[in-house]
Amino acid sequence: MDFRSSETVVGPRSEDTLPSSAATAVKVVIVGGFGVGKTTLVGAVSEIRPLTTEETMTQAGADVDDIAGVERKTATTVAMDFGRISINDELVLYLFGTPGQQRFWFLWNGLFEGALGAVVLVDTRRLEVSFDVIGRLEERGVPFVVALNSFPESPSYPTEELRAALDLPPEVPIVECDARTRESSRDVLMALMRYLYSLTTPTP
Ligand SMILES: Nc1nc2c(ncn2[C@@H]2O[C@H](COP(=O)(O)OP(=O)(O)O)[C@@H](O)[C@H]2O)c(=O)[nH]1
Ligand SMILES: [Mg+2]
């Protein structure tokens, strides 16, 4: 009997099952301003169906949410995104995407508990929305990488110019990404893992 083609196998789909060798689970938070691509990134890399709490934007948020540059955006995350990605047989990342709007900051306390690191997604058309987020991460001492999400009209600045504009210390990695693609989003997470690892390894 050819088990590979058998359709009678019951139980969870393989993508929902972690290998028994999975030993290390790391919690990663994806943060950034409104409409920078957090939900998109979690959806692109997650190997489980991402859990997202997206709501159609209503007039109530019209004065509060700055939609300049994202005029076509009709949904916004009201609580959070959740996804999972296995980097290899042993390392599993749990991804928590959290809204950047100030009125959701009360969520940060719980969400950052036990988080080893964060990804700050940045849209170079709207750099200013990243300032608060970065400031709050620095206050909390959460290590992070900055990922520049490429939108068609995004101006491209030299990395060092952006580092200065965002007031980032020299060691914080800045990477470019397209949050819509799995590979690119995975590269962002790998950059974070490498950075976290470098922080635990004393430089000679
Ligand atoms: N061109 C382009 N559009 C993107 C990219 N990432 C997200 N978007 C779009 O930008 C909008 C906002 O993304 P979303 O993930 O909802 O942002 P969030 O508020 O940070 O969760 C959506 O319409 C996405 O399809 C990207 O890398 N490139
Ligand atoms: Mg979202």
Side-chain angles (χ1 to χ4, degrees):
M1 183 180 172
D2 181 358
F3 283 98
R4 277 168 306 175
S5 64
S6 168
E7 289 179 5
T8 57
V9 176
V10 288
R13 286 173 301 146
S14 61
E15 65 166 19
D16 289 341
T17 315
L18 278 175
S20 54
S21 55
T24 311
V26 171
K27 179 175 177 180
V28 169
V29 183
I30 316 292
V31 284
F34 176 61
V36 291
K38 300 178 297 292
T39 301
T40 306
L41 184 143
V42 173
V45 289
S46 184
E47 60 206 4
I48 52 172
R49 189 140 52 93
L51 180 72
T52 190
T53 47
E54 200 94 327
E55 282 293 323
T56 303
M57 288 197 286
T58 63
Q59 253 338 89
D63 299 331
V64 187
D65 291 325
D66 177 11
I67 57 165
V70 280
E71 293 82 0
R72 271 160 296 160
K73 192 168 156 61
T74 54
T76 188
T77 306
V78 291
M80 63 170 207
D81 306 297
F82 175 72
R84 188 192 80 201
I85 173 174
S86 311
I87 296 294
N88 53 40
D89 284 349
E90 286 161 17
L91 176 63
V92 182
L93 307 188
Y94 286 94
L95 309 176
F96 293 78
T98 189
Q101 294 104 300
Q102 201 166 352
R103 66 176 185 279
F104 292 117
W105 280 358
F106 68 91
L107 283 172
W108 280 43
N109 293 329
L111 217 50
F112 272 91
E113 196 132 317
L116 282 200
V119 171
V120 178
L121 266 179
V122 169
D123 177 353
T124 55
R125 293 172 303 175
R126 299 176 295 125
L127 270 190
E128 65 286 354
V129 294
S130 314
F131 295 149
D132 284 346
V133 165
I134 287 173
R136 282 181 69 87
L137 287 177
E138 285 173 339
E139 262 169 40
R140 281 169 181 266
V142 179
F144 61 91
V145 298
V146 169
L148 310 171
N149 198 9
S150 46
F151 290 88
E153 317 86 37
S154 299
S156 140
Y157 301 108
T159 306
E160 289 319 304
E161 221 169 275
L162 276 168
R163 186 181 297 282
L166 293 171
D167 201 15
L168 292 173
E171 67 277 9
V172 172
I174 302 179
V175 294
E176 286 178 22
C177 77
D178 183 331
R180 296 166 302 179
T181 74
R182 181 181 169 82
E183 201 165 285
S184 177
S185 298
R186 193 172 186 276
D187 287 346
V188 172
L189 297 169
M190 295 300 284
L192 176 64
M193 288 305 113
R194 274 195 300 273
Y195 179 51
L196 294 179
Y197 185 71
S198 78
L199 295 176
T200 65
T201 316
T203 40

